[in-house]
Amino acid sequence: MTRFRPCIDLHSGQVKQIVGGTLTTITDDLKTNHVSKLPASHFADLYRQNDVIGAHVIMLGPGNEEAARDALRAWKGGLQIGGGISESTAAEWINWGAEKVIITSYLFPRGKFSMDRLRSVLAALGDDKQKLVIDLSCRRKEDTWIVAMDKWQTLTDMEVNQESISLLEPLCSEFLIHAADNEGLQRGIDEELAEAAASRILTG
């Protein structure tokens, strides 16, 4: 069964649909399809009214914390939160009303996966893996998909495959996987990644 999982992407405090590969440190590189005049809390309340579970708020860079907290207040316990989450902030966001925290870049210091960091985040959450989502959003490299960090600009040392899924699955409640090369292009899902997930990841 297909489920709709909405996302509230925040950039400079505004809700935006961003072309994923353009989100760099250079402002002129940024390309957007839409910048909403409505606050994040409006969309959070809309999802609450329609019981759209699994919605997530992603903070893309600094200046988004206030808008993110407003969204969490609009649907306390109903939204996941990601973007800059670390061991020191994970529990804080749960206390502010997030259902779960989403984490990526913190797990990959200098692009290399750290199990110690993952365990430290989990410990900060009281070892409750139901509060943790691991973001394995990725970019294509030849016939593989590699986890990307730092706004999808840096490839890590982790391939999205059965081995990595099996390693991480016992330590989180779910995975978030965006096809970064397709993000914001309004051309649907990356069907090859979805097929690979179904064949290689789910069946090994």
Side-chain angles (χ1 to χ4, degrees):
M1 180 179 67
T2 299
R3 293 182 178 178
F4 176 62
R5 288 288 192 100
C7 178
I8 302 171
D9 280 341
L10 291 172
H11 181 259
S12 299
Q14 293 179 287
V15 178
K16 301 180 181 181
Q17 184 186 49
I18 293 174
V19 178
T22 70
L23 188 60
T24 70
T25 57
I26 303 172
T27 303
D28 290 343
D29 287 348
L30 184 67
K31 295 180 181 179
T32 59
N33 288 320
H34 179 70
V35 179
S36 178
K37 296 180 181 179
L38 299 170
S41 57
H42 166 83
F43 296 98
D45 190 53
L46 181 66
Y47 301 149
R48 180 189 62 79
Q49 291 177 37
N50 290 277
D51 196 28
V52 184
I53 63 172
H56 50 275
V57 180
I58 303 296
M59 299 177 289
L60 299 170
N64 296 303
E65 289 81 2
E66 183 177 350
R69 286 194 292 267
D70 285 344
L72 295 181
R73 281 191 287 267
W75 193 6
K76 191 169 184 178
L79 299 170
Q80 302 173 7
I81 185 78
I85 306 297
S86 67
E87 171 191 1
S88 62
T89 61
E92 188 174 48
W93 282 106
I94 295 293
N95 291 335
W96 280 333
E99 177 197 14
K100 304 180 182 185
V101 293
I102 304 168
I103 193 163
T104 308
S105 296
Y106 182 73
L107 301 181
F108 294 92
R110 296 175 297 282
K112 298 184 181 299
F113 174 68
S114 169
M115 179 59 78
D116 287 342
R117 285 199 172 193
L118 174 54
R119 293 191 183 281
S120 71
V121 172
L122 195 57
L125 295 172
D127 287 320
D128 185 354
K129 76 171 192 174
Q130 295 304 316
K131 295 178 181 176
L132 181 62
V133 177
I134 296 179
D135 185 350
L136 297 180
S137 294
C138 53
R139 306 195 79 154
R140 186 162 186 161
K141 185 177 181 182
E142 297 177 352
D143 62 345
T144 63
W145 283 268
I146 306 299
V147 176
M149 55 180 274
D150 293 337
K151 306 181 185 69
W152 303 325
Q153 299 302 309
T154 303
L155 296 182
T156 70
D157 65 347
M158 180 173 285
E159 180 182 344
V160 180
N161 57 23
Q162 181 63 47
E163 181 181 357
S164 58
I165 294 294
S166 297
L167 174 68
L168 302 174
E169 188 176 17
L171 301 169
C172 66
S173 63
E174 60 184 278
F175 297 105
L176 173 64
I177 305 178
H178 283 108
D181 296 315
N182 272 32
E183 182 73 15
L185 296 179
Q186 300 178 319
R187 64 185 187 193
I189 67 171
D190 185 330
E191 294 184 2
E192 292 187 19
L193 175 57
E195 290 172 0
S199 61
R200 279 191 273 172
I201 296 174
L202 297 182
T203 67

